[in-house]
Amino acid sequence: METLKEERWQHDRDFFVRKAEMLGCEVLVQACNGNDEVQIAQAENMITQGVDILVVVPHNGKIASTIVDNAHKHGVRVIAYDRMIRDCNLDLYVSFDNERIGEMQAEYLVKKAPRGNYILIGGSPTDNNALLYHKGQMKILQPYIDSGFIKIIADQWAADWQPMEAMKHVENALTKEKNITAIVASNDGTASGAIQALQEQKLDGKVLVSGQDAELSACQRVIEGTQSMTVYKPLQLMAEAAAIAALQIIRNEVVSSALKIVSNGKKDIPSILIDPIVVDKTNMMETVVKDGYHSEKEIYIK
Ligand code: GAL
């Protein structure tokens, strides 16, 4: 894994390990904390220890192709989990339709505010997902920009998805233009940084802000009104699908749930894509709470 910092990755790990163990597998988990060399070394180490398959959340979607090449030399196959590994003979991709997530974020904001000044906060530019979110967001925003209804005040990437980076970008944008209508933040972490910058100017709750991941703190902000929406990704479905697929690959069986194909630049990769869900105040109960992802008590603290 790249990191266990964002809350979601801890859920991913737990759901995956639980399912794989139920299936009779043993799972080793390591996180490289955003360091590509460490991630490559960890994978090599696991191969030396004799693992049957690697499930990788790459830090850098291009550099991680080394992991796949190395693994294949040793007859170990690789699943890219959540984030694509580019330009290699990857075996399987398990994720969401990430461009669609970007569209959902922008669609939500544009529906509430079809005119105004927008800021875009992308994620880590080395994460293929961040590029897809941005692509989806721009697909929705472009016609509004072209007709002069929406003006983009800033369009920045937050290195390594850091909330502090997002905060800095919004602070800078606010020195240029105080009248901001919406911030397209690509995940909840960057949304939290953006909202902190808004708070400094007493603008929190007055600017629309998107997010993604349904982190507990983000769900609380959605209810409180400082964040407009989040995208809830049913991680249990994804983690369990990945665990089942891993075992099928080890046994040389067909991965029955890989119904989609996504190109990684070199090859069409068999893919499992799970549907993401837009969450705001109106459907928090029937999505995040109903699934038991967070409890009503945790979210509705006030
Ligand atoms: C993305 C992932 C998001 C978010 C982000 C930061 O690749 O799809 O859910 O967690 O990384 O880790």
Side-chain angles (χ1 to χ4, degrees):
M1 302 184 80
E2 186 230 325
T3 178
L4 284 163
K5 199 178 56 201
E6 283 96 0
E7 181 185 289
R8 68 152 288 186
W9 299 117
Q10 299 165 24
H11 290 285
D12 286 281
R13 176 199 54 196
D14 295 347
F15 288 136
F16 183 89
V17 171
R18 199 178 348 147
K19 183 68 183 179
E21 285 180 351
M22 265 170 56
L23 295 169
C25 304
E26 193 190 326
V27 188
L28 306 175
V29 183
Q30 291 197 315
C32 71
N33 299 321
N35 185 318
D36 294 310
E37 278 147 45
V38 171
Q39 190 161 49
I40 292 168
Q42 286 174 337
E44 265 171 21
N45 227 307
M46 286 181 171
I47 293 167
T48 312
Q49 287 182 60
V51 295
D52 294 301
I53 192 159
L54 288 172
V55 181
V56 181
V57 183
H59 169 247
N60 182 312
K62 289 196 175 128
I63 294 176
S65 63
T66 307
I67 294 175
V68 179
D69 296 343
N70 283 344
H72 283 176
K73 278 186 204 138
H74 293 88
V76 173
R77 279 160 295 173
V78 183
I79 298 178
Y81 185 91
D82 196 78
R83 301 174 176 173
M84 183 60 98
I85 304 178
R86 298 198 56 84
D87 306 324
C88 61
N89 291 318
L90 180 69
D91 298 286
L92 182 75
Y93 174 52
V94 184
S95 189
F96 296 84
D97 182 343
N98 291 303
E99 197 176 319
R100 180 72 201 119
I101 290 178
E103 289 175 13
M104 285 171 150
Q105 292 167 328
E107 268 167 9
Y108 188 94
L109 301 178
V110 158
K111 210 167 152 214
K112 302 249 172 211
R115 287 168 189 260
N117 292 331
Y118 274 57
I119 295 174
L120 283 120
I121 303 293
S124 164
T126 63
D127 173 359
N128 190 60
N129 282 350
L131 311 179
L132 295 173
Y133 301 143
H134 189 265
K135 192 171 169 208
Q137 292 159 1
M138 287 310 291
K139 198 162 135 194
I140 301 300
L141 293 175
Q142 200 60 54
Y144 293 83
I145 298 169
D146 291 343
S147 50
F149 290 161
I150 287 178
K151 189 171 163 206
I152 304 297
I153 303 300
D155 181 0
Q156 302 280 348
W157 302 102
D160 276 333
W161 289 96
Q162 286 183 46
M164 288 294 281
E165 284 265 317
M167 186 174 97
K168 247 181 21 208
H169 292 319
V170 174
E171 279 172 353
N172 284 342
L174 286 170
T175 60
K176 279 196 284 176
E177 175 62 71
K178 286 261 174 332
N179 179 19
I180 300 296
T181 315
I183 301 178
V184 191
S186 291
N187 76 345
D188 289 339
T190 50
S192 78
I195 291 165
Q196 244 176 290
L198 292 173
Q199 251 160 15
E200 290 162 9
Q201 306 285 337
K202 302 210 169 14
L203 288 171
D204 52 315
K206 296 182 181 137
V207 177
L208 299 166
V209 182
S210 66
Q212 169 185 192
D213 286 341
E215 285 187 356
L216 177 58
S217 54
C219 292
Q220 290 167 345
R221 288 194 297 271
V222 168
I223 296 308
E224 183 188 273
T226 51
Q227 185 173 324
S228 317
M229 60 87 80
T230 183
V231 177
Y232 167 52
K233 304 196 286 193
L235 300 178
Q236 187 167 359
L237 289 181
M238 173 162 79
E240 294 190 348
I244 293 167
L247 193 56
Q248 287 174 323
I249 291 176
I250 293 169
R251 291 179 172 159
N252 291 318
E253 291 168 8
V254 174
V255 179
S256 43
S257 53
L259 301 173
K260 303 268 169 64
I261 293 286
V262 179
S263 169
N264 77 342
K266 178 172 184 185
K267 193 184 142 194
D268 284 341
I269 311 296
S271 301
I272 302 175
L273 298 181
I274 312 286
D275 289 330
I277 302 163
V278 170
V279 168
D280 69 0
K281 267 185 198 166
T282 64
N283 66 344
M284 185 68 73
M285 288 300 290
E286 59 261 34
T287 54
V288 174
V289 175
K290 182 166 164 256
D291 278 8
Y293 193 66
H294 303 302
S295 71
E296 180 178 0
K297 224 171 103 196
E298 288 170 310
I299 298 173
Y300 296 80
I301 39 175
K302 280 177 192 152

